[in-house]
């Protein structure tokens, strides 16, 4: 990574003298007033040198295509940033650099990428900007189409095939004897030697959905994998080929002796931590529900439904195949690094300093509410300093510079804007002068987007370093108060059972009313009714079947809550059928279900018996694990 210590006041004053076509020229000094007023008004004047370096680092990690797609930018049509011999889309870099400089993304539609805006600002910060390859002869690119791909069920080994050939990948060396002429193409696409592959069996028909999809899909299209009424993952097609020997080597054959010989080589694989309900998308595309066959829809249809996929950007209009950037860190490694921070110990006090753990907890809490993983020094100092003052070791100095800098040693943290080879702690004045940017690495942030991993990380910090602080108050201060209950923080007026909170103040006459505006979580009543019907309204904990007004009564309890920061899915696998008493105890983290399916008391571990199961109601063990971890954290904060 390239990182230069360039004071912002100096960087902001330097500009490149060159032609409007972006030909590199010698830098000279210009006053800040030289920049067009509309440039400053649009926010480009807030972009810092450190913010640009942070955006470049993320682009390197994700690849240009994924980086543009994640933040909603197209390919640079005129100017490219050139750094250490690599080229980057200047407008996309500037928009994301603004996010890391001041906390707000500059959307693509809000500013121009021309010579007197983005190019000029980047040059003023000391970077080189040149005419991009998009205007010097690259072939015209086309918008991606939407490929809907059933994963398949247990009978046809769908889950196993997906885990092996998409999630884990196939070692190219293991199938080299059957690759033939495809060996060179796969070696180029996957420098790490691991190919992500998926295939389809042939069809005898010529005009059904599957035949048309096999015939018309193309490199650059986006593939959405479908399973159990949800979309579970997305990828991009990097290469297409037909090979019976490769299919047999990778997947074998099905019970009809057919093979998945129509093969896609995939990149940009992204599994969704929260599965996306498929019905709204399929209905909007006039595709039968459930999805039974490989289906292709054109780019215009894709753009029409893209807003139905949470956190996905408008498809890029200029896709280019990119190699898969695999996560460079596992959840176990992340938790191990969190538990072994190189914290300073004060003389005469054996307790480790809390500066790094508090800063890391602050950074994790930002991810939980969708804030950027990186933040400028001024924001870090303003928000972390009060935490160090209130929850740090008694008598310790409030020095936010230390965690901002020394968390780099954890392998989970990065700092931009200060020389990488600076072996010692920079002088405090450097932070104010340079305004560096720091935060979680992309690999750590990706893992911590998973609610379970994030919860386990918070519990690890609290149990390892913060056992002598008011943890409940601390979590509330950083915005994680929702961890106090299994249902989390719900919107105003939403308590999960439709009950309205009563006003504390009593008055004579009719009850006073007040107007309010709020959003409600959208629950699927059919799913809640389904879990109750399957269990005949009988509590899965105690076996009680209540009657209310001559009708059976039970409650559907979410295992991983719908409220923040849990953000659980509203699906059958995430529900239990409980009586009101055990619903309250479950949400209040007083009972949990252990790995053997035994219902236990959170305090003392006493058994309430085996959880009652039904063959038609599969419970996702990941959700039960999440609830157990939440109970563990609650036992720490309650002490």
């Amino acid at each position: 990574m390239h990182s230069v210590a360039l004071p912002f006041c100096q960087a902001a004053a330097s500009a490149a003298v060159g032609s409007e076509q972006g030909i590199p020229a010698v830098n000279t000094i210009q006053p800040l007033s030289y920049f067009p007023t509309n440039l400053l008004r649009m926010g480009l004047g807030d972009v810092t040198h450190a913010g640009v370096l942070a955006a470049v680092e993320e682009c390197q990690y994700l690849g240009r295509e994924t980086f543009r797609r994640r933040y909603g930018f197209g390919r640079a049509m005129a100017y490219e940033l050139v750094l250490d011999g690599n080229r980057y889309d200047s407008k996309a870099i500037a928009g994301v650099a603004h996010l890391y400089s001041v906390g707000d993304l500059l959307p693509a539609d809000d500013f121009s990428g021309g010579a007197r805006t983005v190019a000029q600002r980047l040059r003023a910060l000391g970077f080189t900007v040149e005419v991009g390859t998009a205007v010097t002869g690259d072939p015209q690119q086309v918008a991606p189409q939407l490929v809907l791909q059933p994963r398949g069920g247990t009978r046809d080994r769908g889950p196993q095939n997906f885990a092996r050939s998409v999630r884990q990948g196939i070692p190219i060396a293991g199938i080299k004897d059957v690759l033939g002429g495809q060996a060179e193409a796969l070696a180029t696409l996957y420098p790490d030697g691991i190919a992500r592959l998926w295939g389809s069996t042939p069809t005898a028909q010529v005009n059904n959905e599957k035949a048309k999809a096999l015939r018309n899909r193309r490199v650059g299209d986006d593939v959405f994998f479908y399973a159990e009424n949800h979309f579970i993952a997305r990828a991009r097609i990097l290469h297409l080929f037909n090979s019976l020997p490769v299919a047999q080597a990778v997947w074998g054959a099905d019970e009809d002796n057919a093979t998945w010989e129509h093969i896609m080589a995939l990149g940009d694989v992204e599994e969704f931590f929260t599965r996306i309900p498929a019905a709204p998308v399929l209905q909007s595309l006039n595709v039968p529900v459930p999805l039974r066959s490989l289906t292709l829809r054109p780019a215009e249809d894709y753009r029409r439904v893209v807003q139905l996929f949470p956190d996905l950007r408008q498809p890029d209009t200029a896709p280019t195949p990119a190699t898969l950037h695999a996560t460079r860190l596992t959840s176990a490694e992340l938790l191990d690094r969190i538990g072994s921070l190189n914290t300073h110990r004060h003389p005469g006090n054996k307790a480790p300093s809390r500066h790094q753990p508090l800063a890391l907890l602050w950074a994790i809490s930002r991810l939980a509410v969708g804030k950027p993983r990186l933040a400028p020094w001024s924001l870090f100092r303003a928000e972390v300093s009060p935490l160090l003052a209130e929850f740090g070791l008694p008598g310790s100095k409030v020095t936010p510079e230390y965690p901002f800098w020394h968390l780099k040693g954890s392998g989970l943290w990065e700092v931009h804007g200060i020389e990488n080879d600076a072996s010692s702690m920079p002088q405090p004045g450097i932070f104010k002068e340079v305004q560096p940017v720091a935060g979680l690495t992309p690999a750590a942030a990706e893992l911590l987007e998973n609610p379970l991993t994030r919860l386990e990380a918070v519990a690890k910090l609290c149990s390892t370093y913060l056992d002598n602080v008011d943890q409940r108050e601390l979590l509330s201060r950083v915005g994680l108060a929702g961890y106090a209950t299994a249902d989390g923080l719900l919107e105003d007026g939403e308590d999960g059972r439709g009950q309205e909170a009563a006003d504390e103040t009593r008055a004579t006459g009719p009850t006073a009313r007040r107007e309010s505006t709020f959003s409600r979580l959208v629950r699927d009543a059919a799913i809640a009714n389904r879990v109750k019907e399957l269990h005949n309204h009988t509590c899965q904990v105690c076996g009680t079947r209540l009657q209310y007004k001559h009708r059976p009564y039970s409650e559907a309890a979410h295992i991983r809550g719908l409220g923040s920061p849990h953000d659980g899915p509203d699906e059958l696998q995430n529900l239990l059928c409980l009586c009101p008493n055990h619903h309250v105890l479950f949400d209040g983290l007083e009972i949990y279900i252990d790995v053997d399916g035994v219902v236990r008391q959170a305090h003392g571990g006493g058994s309430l018996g085996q959880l009652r199961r039904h063959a038609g109601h599969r419970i996702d063990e990941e959700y039960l694990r999440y609830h157990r971890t939440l109970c563990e954290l609650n036992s720490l904060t309650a002490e």
Side-chain angles (χ1 to χ4, degrees):
M1 179 186 70
H2 179 91
S3 183
V4 179
L6 182 64
F8 176 68
C9 56
Q10 174 186 341
S14 64
V17 177
S19 71
E20 289 293 312
Q21 285 71 39
I23 299 173
V26 179
N27 286 344
T28 186
I29 301 297
Q30 296 287 352
L32 194 61
S33 58
Y34 171 80
F35 297 109
T37 56
N38 66 327
L39 182 151
L40 297 176
R41 185 175 65 250
M42 288 185 295
L44 288 172
D46 295 325
V47 172
T48 65
H49 188 270
V52 172
L53 294 175
V56 166
E57 179 83 357
E58 183 166 5
C59 186
Q60 288 179 331
Y61 178 83
L62 295 174
R64 285 179 68 172
E65 161 64 22
T66 303
F67 180 79
R68 293 195 306 260
R69 185 171 64 182
R70 174 169 293 185
Y71 292 106
F73 287 88
R75 187 178 183 183
M77 300 307 295
Y79 299 100
E80 291 180 324
L81 170 68
V82 181
L83 186 62
D84 293 338
N86 297 313
R87 308 182 77 91
Y88 305 90
D89 303 279
S90 60
K91 186 174 180 181
I93 292 294
V96 179
H98 191 273
L99 173 71
Y100 293 144
S101 299
V102 297
D104 295 315
L105 177 74
L106 272 183
D109 293 340
D110 284 5
F111 66 107
S112 163
R116 291 184 60 79
T117 52
V118 168
Q120 188 167 321
R121 180 58 181 163
L122 292 176
R123 289 177 182 141
L125 293 173
F127 297 100
T128 299
V129 180
E130 297 179 355
V131 174
T133 56
V135 294
T136 56
D138 267 15
Q140 180 66 36
Q141 303 291 332
V142 294
Q145 302 175 106
L146 175 61
V147 180
L148 304 175
Q149 174 67 67
R151 183 203 61 186
T154 303
R155 189 174 67 88
D156 52 5
R157 304 196 305 275
Q160 298 94 320
N161 287 338
F162 183 86
R164 179 169 176 263
S165 65
V166 177
R167 180 183 299 136
Q168 299 172 12
I170 302 297
I172 296 175
I175 57 173
K176 63 180 181 180
D177 293 339
V178 296
L179 280 175
Q182 300 299 327
E184 183 178 355
L186 293 188
T188 301
L189 288 171
Y190 303 104
D192 61 355
I194 304 297
R196 267 67 182 183
L197 304 177
W198 191 259
S200 298
T201 56
T203 176
Q205 301 185 45
V206 294
N207 282 320
N208 64 355
E209 286 283 5
K210 182 175 183 178
K212 289 186 286 186
L214 290 174
R215 186 167 59 244
N216 297 320
R217 63 185 177 177
R218 60 199 181 205
V219 169
D221 289 345
D222 279 354
V223 181
F224 282 80
F225 285 89
Y226 171 94
E228 300 172 342
N229 301 313
H230 289 77
F231 290 111
I232 62 171
R234 180 184 70 172
R236 176 149 289 188
I237 299 177
L238 305 183
H239 182 54
L240 292 166
F241 64 99
N242 293 351
S243 175
L244 179 63
V246 172
Q248 289 176 330
V250 175
W251 302 292
D254 65 16
E255 58 186 15
D256 299 322
N257 203 33
T259 62
W260 293 267
E261 60 194 74
H262 297 279
I263 299 173
M264 299 183 290
L266 302 172
D268 299 337
V269 177
E270 175 188 1
E271 290 193 63
F272 304 135
F273 291 128
T274 299
R275 296 182 171 193
I276 301 169
V281 177
L282 298 178
Q283 290 166 358
S284 296
L285 295 170
N286 294 319
V287 175
V289 180
L291 181 68
R292 299 292 188 187
S293 172
L294 178 70
T295 301
L296 178 69
R297 286 294 181 266
E300 54 268 28
D301 284 356
Y302 188 8
R303 285 191 289 268
R304 182 163 51 83
V305 300
V306 72
Q307 71 275 7
L308 299 178
F309 296 105
D311 301 325
L312 301 185
R313 299 287 180 178
Q314 181 76 10
D316 196 344
T317 57
T320 54
T323 58
L324 174 70
H325 291 260
T327 300
R328 301 168 177 84
L329 191 68
T330 67
S331 296
E333 290 170 338
L334 180 138
L335 295 174
D336 181 66
R337 294 183 187 187
I338 288 176
S340 55
L341 297 175
N342 186 19
T343 55
H344 175 70
R345 295 179 184 270
H346 294 279
N349 188 343
K350 295 182 179 181
S353 169
R354 297 173 187 159
H355 280 45
Q356 288 188 48
L358 288 170
L360 204 52
L361 183 65
W362 169 83
I364 293 172
S365 72
R366 285 170 55 83
L367 292 181
V369 294
K371 293 182 179 179
R373 64 182 179 89
L374 301 178
W377 161 245
S378 57
L379 178 64
F380 181 93
R381 180 186 58 193
E383 295 190 1
V384 173
S385 294
L387 298 178
L388 303 182
E390 184 171 351
F391 300 101
L393 286 177
S396 63
K397 294 182 179 179
V398 177
T399 51
E401 297 88 353
Y402 281 87
F404 187 92
W405 179 256
H406 287 299
L407 268 171
K408 291 194 305 178
S410 67
L412 307 174
W413 192 264
E414 59 188 35
V415 179
H416 301 276
I418 300 177
E419 286 284 2
N420 271 342
D421 57 1
S423 56
S424 59
M425 176 78 185
Q427 292 297 317
I430 294 295
F431 291 87
K432 182 177 180 181
E433 182 181 21
V434 175
Q435 282 298 313
V437 171
L440 293 160
T441 65
E446 284 180 12
L447 289 172
L448 290 164
E449 292 290 345
N450 184 329
L452 174 57
T453 303
R454 187 166 62 237
L455 172 60
E456 290 176 330
V458 171
K460 189 76 169 181
L461 285 169
C462 288
S463 62
T464 306
Y465 309 100
L466 304 170
D467 54 336
N468 291 323
V469 304
D470 186 342
Q471 294 181 3
R472 184 158 295 192
E473 175 62 21
L474 172 59
L475 293 180
S476 178
R477 286 284 301 277
V478 297
L480 296 176
Y483 282 144
T485 63
D487 50 358
L489 292 178
L490 299 165
E491 299 287 350
D492 292 342
E494 185 83 38
D495 66 0
R497 299 176 181 83
Q499 300 171 348
E500 298 294 333
D503 288 336
E504 295 181 2
T505 304
R506 299 183 62 188
T508 59
T511 302
R513 297 179 180 271
R514 64 171 179 265
E515 293 185 0
S516 63
T517 301
F518 54 84
S519 59
R520 287 183 181 273
L521 294 167
V522 180
R523 292 181 170 88
D524 190 334
I527 296 175
N529 290 334
R530 176 62 176 159
V531 75
K532 297 175 186 179
E533 291 168 358
L534 284 171
H535 293 277
N536 196 26
H537 292 275
T538 300
C539 179
Q540 290 183 254
V541 172
C542 64
T544 299
R545 188 175 188 271
L546 296 174
Q547 292 285 325
Y548 178 68
K549 292 185 177 181
H550 308 293
R551 299 178 63 181
Y553 179 81
S554 61
E555 296 180 352
H558 287 88
I559 303 169
R560 197 183 103 200
L562 302 187
S564 177
H566 313 312
D567 300 324
D570 191 20
E571 61 183 18
L572 188 62
Q573 298 93 324
N574 190 35
L575 285 175
L576 295 174
C577 178
L578 300 178
C579 67
N581 283 349
H582 284 110
H583 191 176
V584 170
L585 293 175
F586 190 83
D587 281 357
L589 306 177
E590 295 294 334
I591 60 174
Y592 67 92
I593 301 160
D594 71 12
V595 293
D596 297 316
V598 176
V599 183
R600 296 194 178 277
Q601 295 173 339
H603 304 285
S607 171
L608 302 182
Q610 198 78 17
L611 183 75
R612 290 162 172 80
R613 304 269 187 165
H614 187 283
H617 177 207
R618 184 181 70 84
I619 301 172
D620 194 319
E621 293 300 319
E622 282 289 284
Y623 300 146
L624 295 177
R625 179 182 165 194
Y626 184 95
H627 185 268
R628 285 195 298 272
T629 307
L630 197 60
C631 288
E632 293 172 8
L633 177 62
N634 188 63
S635 68
L636 294 171
T637 60
E639 292 177 356

